[in-house]
Amino acid sequence: YWSTLSSLVHRWNTDPNYSHGYFVPLVSLYLFYQSIERRSPSFPAVRGGSWIGSTLLIVAIAMLWLTTLLPSLIIESASMLLALLGGVYLVWGRSIGHLAIAPVGFLVFMVPWPSKLYSQAAFPLQLAISKFASILLTMMGIPVLCDGSLIHLPGQTMHVAEACSGMRQLTAFLAMAAATALIIERPLWCRMIILACAVPVAVLVNITRVTSMALAHHVGYGEWTEGAMHTIEGMGMVLVGLGLLMGLVKLLDWIQVDPTGTPSAKGANA
């Protein structure tokens, strides 16, 4: 899988939407280590799992052969992840193999989307972000005309490009939310809420970002939306989104503090 890894690293280096790919394997290793630390005292003596590992490896090899006829980085990456999981089952047995399912599954966040699927998802986001940002600007008393992904301000026009559609934040927030849901010890419904909130948080953060950029253009500080300031602003929005996710975790703690699922007195009274 050396060529697959090389292709992934090339995308991480050249596509800003997947620059977080370098961190995904590190988080995956931490999740695997944490799972072993939590469950190691209860491991059964029998290893087993050889038939699961063999089956996964056979499927992985078949998928890799398929890419000789149908080249696809998605299929190559899926084959690599299945081979990795199959290897864990073969070497360490069924108990540790079960614990590796979630960490290996988390590695999907380092795999780039197909270009066509990415564009199909980004375009409606462009339109929605432009529309909501225009509504907010109108509520602030600024005359705005929204024409697709164009925001017409007095004396100038701002284009919400595909790079500003929020897909970059969406992929990053989905990865952060999934990592948070896997790390914290909470009932399944709490983890699902955290994961589901990644999409609205990403959209909300990007609406805020586009609105602030339009405001900067309106008051004559358009240079703040270019170059290094543009990058710093994007990083700041990621931190804001991460703070919102952490706030959601705190809210769930307030509702239910017992990780086994027993409601707290405060949550029960509410």
Side-chain angles (χ1 to χ4, degrees):
Y1 292 102
W2 180 253
S3 62
T4 305
L5 290 172
S6 299
S7 298
L8 289 175
V9 171
H10 176 72
R11 287 293 298 273
W12 300 343
N13 287 333
T14 58
D15 191 342
N17 294 302
Y18 300 101
S19 57
H20 63 276
Y22 286 104
F23 301 99
V24 174
L26 299 177
V27 176
S28 178
L29 285 173
Y30 175 76
L31 293 173
F32 186 45
Y33 169 78
Q34 187 186 55
S35 298
I36 293 178
E37 285 291 306
R38 290 177 180 174
R39 301 287 297 278
S40 57
S42 60
F43 283 155
V46 180
R47 292 178 62 216
S50 59
W51 69 271
I52 302 177
S54 300
T55 301
L56 290 174
L57 284 175
I58 291 172
V59 174
I61 292 172
M63 293 175 65
L64 192 60
W65 284 345
L66 179 63
T67 59
T68 61
L69 300 175
L70 181 65
S72 171
L73 182 58
I74 292 291
I75 298 177
E76 288 183 26
S77 301
S79 172
M80 180 177 65
L81 298 187
L82 285 178
L84 176 61
L85 184 59
V88 173
Y89 272 102
L90 279 177
V91 175
W92 285 295
R94 184 173 60 249
S95 300
I96 295 184
H98 290 346
L99 296 181
I101 293 176
V104 172
F106 183 78
L107 291 174
V108 300
F109 290 108
M110 71 180 186
V111 181
W113 293 25
S115 299
K116 184 175 182 180
L117 178 61
Y118 182 91
S119 298
Q120 289 177 344
F123 182 68
L125 272 177
Q126 280 179 265
L127 300 181
I129 296 295
S130 303
K131 185 66 175 178
F132 281 109
S134 299
I135 292 174
L136 289 178
L137 292 168
T138 302
M139 293 173 64
M140 296 176 189
I142 301 174
V144 174
L145 175 62
C146 181
D147 181 15
S149 60
L150 297 176
I151 298 179
H152 299 283
L153 298 164
Q156 56 187 315
T157 298
M158 189 179 79
H159 177 226
V160 180
E162 182 178 283
C164 297
S165 65
M167 288 298 295
R168 187 181 308 177
Q169 288 88 346
L170 180 59
T171 53
F173 286 142
L174 281 173
M176 289 190 296
T180 302
L182 290 172
I183 289 174
I184 63 174
E185 297 186 58
R186 296 294 185 279
L188 179 61
W189 66 269
C190 289
R191 301 179 185 217
M192 295 304 294
I193 289 176
I194 294 172
L195 188 59
C197 286
V199 175
V201 166
V203 173
L204 177 62
V205 165
N206 208 51
I207 291 173
T208 304
R209 183 186 185 189
V210 172
T211 303
S212 63
M213 291 171 61
L215 280 173
H217 278 284
H218 180 66
V219 298
Y221 290 95
E223 65 275 8
W224 288 8
T225 65
E226 302 173 357
M229 289 299 298
H230 183 75
T231 302
I232 294 173
E233 182 185 10
M235 295 174 61
M237 290 295 102
V238 171
L239 293 177
V240 170
L242 182 59
L244 290 175
L245 288 177
M246 293 300 101
L248 176 62
V249 173
K250 292 296 183 182
L251 177 61
L252 293 175
D253 284 342
W254 183 84
I255 297 173
Q256 180 173 321
V257 298
D258 188 352
T260 62
T262 303
S264 65
K266 186 181 293 185
N269 291 335

